[in-house]
């Protein structure tokens, strides 16, 4: 009866909350409880038991897949940061023109440096530091440059 009460309590919770509560250990506890409290005159059929074990295997595989996808997302974020930093490094010494999208104010000058701030690259110009997203033109330094 305890297993029935636990199942009915879980079924009354919202779906998102139930997903957070049930895991591999809970599934095994329910399965063991079901086997302990089964009717001896009508035991669980092999096909039902195999289906439940297949569900457990699927749960384990989905958890592994979720872990791998999280790691892949982390690697993509790391790769993106490196690409953006390399892009900014390529702008060093170049002349840029930029426009503040909110005020329309124009900026220009030779890129002297850059840094990462709050997930965005900022370029250091002679008189101002601007986000790289404001840049609309990049060119060689005036006077021939390299």
């Amino acid at each position: 009866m305890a297993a029935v009460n636990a199942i009915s309590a879980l079924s009354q919770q919202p779906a998102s909350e139930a997903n957070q509560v049930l895991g591999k250990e809970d599934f095994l506890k329910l399965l063991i409880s079901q086997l302990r409290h089964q009717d001896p005159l009508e035991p669980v059929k092999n096909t039902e038991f195999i289906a439940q074990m297949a569900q457990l295997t699927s749960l384990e595989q989905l958890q592994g897949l979720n872990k791998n996808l999280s790691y892949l997302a982390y690697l993509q974020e790391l790769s993106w940061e490196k690409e953006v930093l390399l892009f900014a490094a390529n702008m060093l010494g170049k002349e840029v023109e930029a426009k503040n999208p909110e005020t329309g104010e124009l900026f220009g000058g030779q890129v002297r440096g850059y840094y990462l701030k709050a997930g965005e690259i900022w370029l250091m110009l002679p008189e101002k530091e601007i986000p790289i997203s404001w840049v609309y033109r990049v060119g060689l330094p005036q006077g021939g440059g390299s």
Side-chain angles (χ1 to χ4, degrees):
M1 257 339 237
V4 172
N5 291 337
I7 291 171
S8 64
L10 284 173
S11 66
Q12 294 173 359
Q13 294 177 343
S16 62
E17 202 174 313
N19 287 341
Q20 293 175 356
V21 173
L22 286 178
K24 177 181 169 183
E25 289 80 24
D26 297 316
F27 186 85
L28 284 173
K29 286 177 187 176
L30 286 171
L31 183 61
I32 291 169
S33 179
Q34 178 186 15
L35 291 173
R36 281 188 187 152
H37 297 96
Q38 67 182 326
D39 184 355
L41 300 176
E42 293 184 33
V44 175
K45 295 184 172 108
N46 286 343
T47 55
E48 290 178 28
F49 184 71
I50 290 171
Q52 290 174 344
M53 291 305 294
Q55 288 175 342
L56 176 62
T57 302
S58 294
L59 174 65
E60 288 177 328
Q61 290 175 347
L62 285 173
Q63 287 174 335
L65 183 61
N66 188 32
K67 182 179 176 182
N68 289 340
L69 285 175
S70 295
Y71 184 65
L72 180 60
Y74 164 75
L75 289 176
Q76 283 182 318
E77 180 71 23
L78 191 62
S79 174
W80 176 84
E81 286 178 3
K82 287 182 179 182
E83 284 181 34
V84 169
L85 289 172
L86 287 171
F87 177 74
N90 190 39
M91 295 181 73
L92 285 173
K94 304 262 176 79
E95 289 288 327
V96 297
E97 292 180 12
K99 181 178 181 180
N100 183 330
E102 294 175 8
T103 65
E105 185 179 4
L106 297 174
F107 302 96
Q110 189 175 30
V111 178
R112 310 249 171 157
Y114 63 93
Y115 59 93
L116 185 64
K117 175 181 171 185
E120 186 172 15
I121 296 290
W122 285 69
L123 300 177
M124 297 170 8
L125 303 180
E127 296 180 17
K128 183 84 172 167
E129 294 179 357
I130 60 166
I132 200 168
S133 60
W134 292 5
V135 174
Y136 65 87
R137 189 187 76 72
V138 179
L140 293 175
Q142 294 181 4
S146 50

